[in-house]
Structures are given as C-alpha cells and as structure tokens.
C-alpha cells in the first residue's frame, strides 16, 4: 500500500502553499487507496512552538484533510537520529565542525565563493583538517560543534545515484534525475543544538514511517540529492518523489508564514471556505 506524508514545521501558521501540499497529498492518497501520514518537523526548538502545532492540526482538519494517528513528532525521536549518526560515524563519514555560522560566513566571504543550491556558502571543510587529538580535546572542553558529512568520502562509498521524479523540479526536470549531492558540500547532519538536521531526520523518518511517496514543494527538489545519498549510506529504502509547483504571492515570491494575507487563519476569518481554498491553489 502506498504511504504519503505531509511534514510541516510548527514555526508559524499554515498558508496557501501548505494547503496545496497537504490537499495534494490527501487527494493522491485517497485516489490510490493509500495512507496519509503527518509528521511534525520540530527539531528547531528556538522557532517551533506547541501553539503552532495545535493550529496546524486545526487548520488541516478545517481543510478536510484526514491523517493517521499517532502523528510523528521529530522532537520525540532524537534517539533514532542518534542511531543513524552512529552508523555514519562507524563508517568514518562524519566529522565535528566547530565553527559558528558567522565564522563560516567570514571564511567564505569572497564574492565568488561557491554556494549550495539554496544560495548558502559551502562549508570550507576546515573541520576535516583538525587532528583527532584536537577534536577530542575541544569536545571534552565543551566547545559546541556540528557534525558534518564528509561528502567526498560519502560519494566514494555510494557511487553515482539517481531518483525517479514523477512531478517537476524548478527547471522542469522530470524522469530519471542524476543526484548531485556534491553541490551541497559537507552538509550538517547534526546541528550544534540538536543531534540531527533537516536532511538526516527527513530521511530517517520517511523510512521509519514507511513512506513510499514523497510529495512536496519543488523548493526541496535539489535537497533530494542529499536524501538519496543518506538513504544509500544508511541502507534505507528509496521512496518515489513528486515535487510540485510552489504557490507564489503577487510579486512572484514564495509565501512566508509571517504574511497574514495568505495565512489560512486569516482567509478563514474573512469567510473563505475550504472549497474556495482548493480553487485558489488550483485543485479542482
Ligand atoms: N518540513 C519541511 C517544510 O515545512 C518539509 C520537509 C519535506 O517535505 O521533506 O518545508
């Protein structure tokens, strides 16, 4: 049986873009007689709040989306991510990086420094050069650090990868897509404040929840390269991918959780119905 999922972060209220993604997942699950799972991606304790999580359930129910319970909340499963990190560590594929974000930005300040597909400067790899003794000493002294994937070593181990795209990437990509995880450099797999990262927890959870169909916005299309790589390194199954168009505002920009006008709560307050929302996002 196919299993779909909708995976919002409770760091704000849902907007039309979330409504489109949730409704599309729900429609596809229903049409295929599959399951619809919900996952709360709340690893960022500084930005996620319980009231947003409650608002998410309420807004989804109002839209008419039905999901299975229990809901998987990422902050309840840090041990699962620790176990995945331990596996990668045993393979010699991760290393601690002690620089803060500001320090990395400084190291990578030059204008033509390479950037990842999201536009962030690539990590210069300085942490990889730190000796085992020094790593040990700094960790023991309580210095904060992130764990990063040694991309070269990971790629050497995994070889060439691809995925089947049944939707469409931002540049119209579809069919068999060659993964290009190298474009992301040595990605963070565990942040300084929490023993995981977006990439790691998505991959672990999709596998643990038995997700067979990943249907999500095409802002995450390029991240799929990292997800495929982690799936292979961790021996996890490969889901199908279907990336969908993003709902944009009048100026063509991606919707933001802080813009009231496209928030589901605000629209509902103005008398907009769930049927209107379907039409607004282009679902008949
Ligand atoms: N939590 C992510 C977001 O809200 C979605 C993650 C995913 O679908 O892989 O953008």
């Amino acid at each position: 049986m196919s299993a779909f999922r909708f995976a919002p972060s409770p760091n704000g209220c849902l907007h039309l873009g979330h409504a489109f993604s949730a409704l599309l997942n729900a429609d596809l699950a229903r049409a295929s007689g599959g399951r619809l799972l919900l996952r709360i991606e709340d690893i960022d304790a500084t930005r996620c709040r319980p009231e947003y999580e409650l608002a998410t359930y309420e807004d989804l129910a109002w839209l008419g989306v039905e999901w299975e319970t229990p809901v998987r909340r990422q902050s309840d499963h840090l041990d699962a991510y620790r176990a995945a990190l331990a596996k990668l560590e045993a393979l010699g594929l991760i290393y601690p990086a002690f620089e803060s974000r500001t320090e990395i930005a400084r190291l990578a300040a030059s204008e033509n420094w390479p950037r990842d597909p999201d536009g962030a400067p690539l990590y210069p790899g300085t942490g990889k050069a730190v000796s085992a003794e020094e790593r040990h000493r700094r960790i023991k002294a309580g210095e904060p650090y992130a764990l990063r994937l040694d991309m070269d070593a990971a790629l050497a181990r995994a070889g060439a990868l691809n995925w089947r795209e049944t939707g469409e990437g931002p540049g119209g990509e579809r069919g068999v897509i060659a993964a290009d995880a190298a474009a992301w450099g040595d990605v963070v797999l565990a942040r300084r404040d929490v023993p995981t990262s977006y990439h790691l927890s998505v991959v672990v959870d999709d596998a643990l929840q038995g997700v067979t169909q990943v249907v999500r916005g095409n802002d995450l299309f390029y991240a799929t390269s990292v997800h495929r790589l982690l799936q292979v390194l961790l021996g996890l199954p490969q889901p199908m991918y279907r990336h969908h168009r993003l709902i944009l505002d009048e100026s063509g920009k991606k919707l933001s959780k802080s813009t009231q006008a496209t928030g589901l709560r605000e629209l509902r307050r103005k008398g907009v119905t769930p049927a209107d929302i379907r039409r607004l996002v282009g679902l008949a």
Side-chain angles (χ1 to χ4, degrees):
M1 189 195 270
S2 54
F4 294 77
R5 56 36 161 210
F6 177 59
S9 291
N11 54 13
C13 284
L14 301 188
H15 54 53
L16 282 174
H18 298 105
F20 176 52
S21 203
L23 289 167
L24 182 62
N25 269 288
D27 287 2
L28 291 168
R30 192 173 306 123
S32 66
R35 307 164 62 197
L36 178 62
L37 308 169
L38 181 60
R39 180 163 78 227
I40 299 295
E41 301 212 325
D42 62 345
I43 58 168
D44 190 339
T46 54
R47 297 174 62 215
C48 293
R49 296 213 213 113
E51 53 269 34
Y52 289 136
E53 184 181 332
L54 288 178
T56 295
Y57 299 139
E58 216 181 273
D59 290 349
L60 289 176
W62 173 72
L63 279 176
V65 172
E66 286 173 33
W67 61 91
E68 277 184 24
T69 51
V71 168
R72 185 172 174 93
R73 188 193 286 117
Q74 291 187 324
S75 59
D76 293 338
H77 296 279
L78 299 183
D79 280 347
Y81 313 130
R82 283 193 189 96
L85 288 169
K87 254 192 190 175
L88 297 171
E89 159 118 74
L91 295 172
L93 297 179
I94 54 178
Y95 64 88
F98 298 92
E99 298 86 353
S100 67
R101 237 187 256 208
T102 334
E103 281 167 322
I104 294 170
R106 191 153 36 79
L107 284 168
S110 79
E111 217 176 276
N112 39 21
W113 188 269
R115 287 171 186 269
D116 72 21
D118 281 348
L122 288 189
Y123 177 65
T126 22
K128 216 160 101 171
V130 175
S131 72
E133 297 88 73
E134 194 182 336
R135 281 178 190 170
H136 188 71
R137 183 186 58 73
R138 290 170 77 169
I139 291 173
K140 243 181 110 187
E143 241 188 85
Y145 61 95
L147 289 172
R148 288 182 176 266
L149 182 66
D150 181 338
M151 186 55 81
D152 288 342
L155 290 171
R157 188 178 176 91
L161 300 171
N162 57 40
W163 80 88
R164 181 168 289 281
E165 175 64 49
T166 59
E168 206 168 76
E173 303 91 334
R174 61 189 317 158
V176 177
I177 311 287
D180 179 19
W184 293 90
D186 289 0
V187 283
V188 170
L189 294 188
R191 299 158 33 143
R192 292 172 137 212
D193 56 336
V194 52
T196 188
S197 67
Y198 162 67
H199 296 305
L200 185 72
S201 38
V202 159
V203 162
V204 167
D205 286 348
D206 282 340
L208 284 174
Q209 290 188 286
V211 170
T212 61
Q213 321 281 330
V214 173
V215 178
R216 61 184 177 192
N218 65 22
D219 51 334
L220 295 168
F221 177 83
Y222 298 111
T224 309
S225 290
V226 177
H227 301 172
R228 285 292 302 123
L229 176 60
L230 292 174
Q231 282 155 5
V232 168
L233 297 173
L234 293 167
L236 304 174
Q238 165 178 197
M240 300 273 288
Y241 287 93
R242 174 172 173 154
H243 291 91
H244 60 68
R245 66 187 158 85
L246 299 179
I247 306 288
L248 305 174
D249 67 14
E250 289 105 57
S251 59
K253 283 214 294 287
K254 202 179 136 183
L255 299 184
S256 148
K257 278 180 173 145
S258 53
T259 315
Q260 293 263 314
T262 46
L264 297 184
R265 310 227 121 189
E266 181 64 13
L267 292 164
R268 179 170 153 195
R269 204 184 52 76
K270 285 190 189 140
V272 173
T273 68
D276 296 331
I277 301 277
R278 288 190 71 90
R279 275 190 295 275
L280 279 170
V281 299
L283 285 170

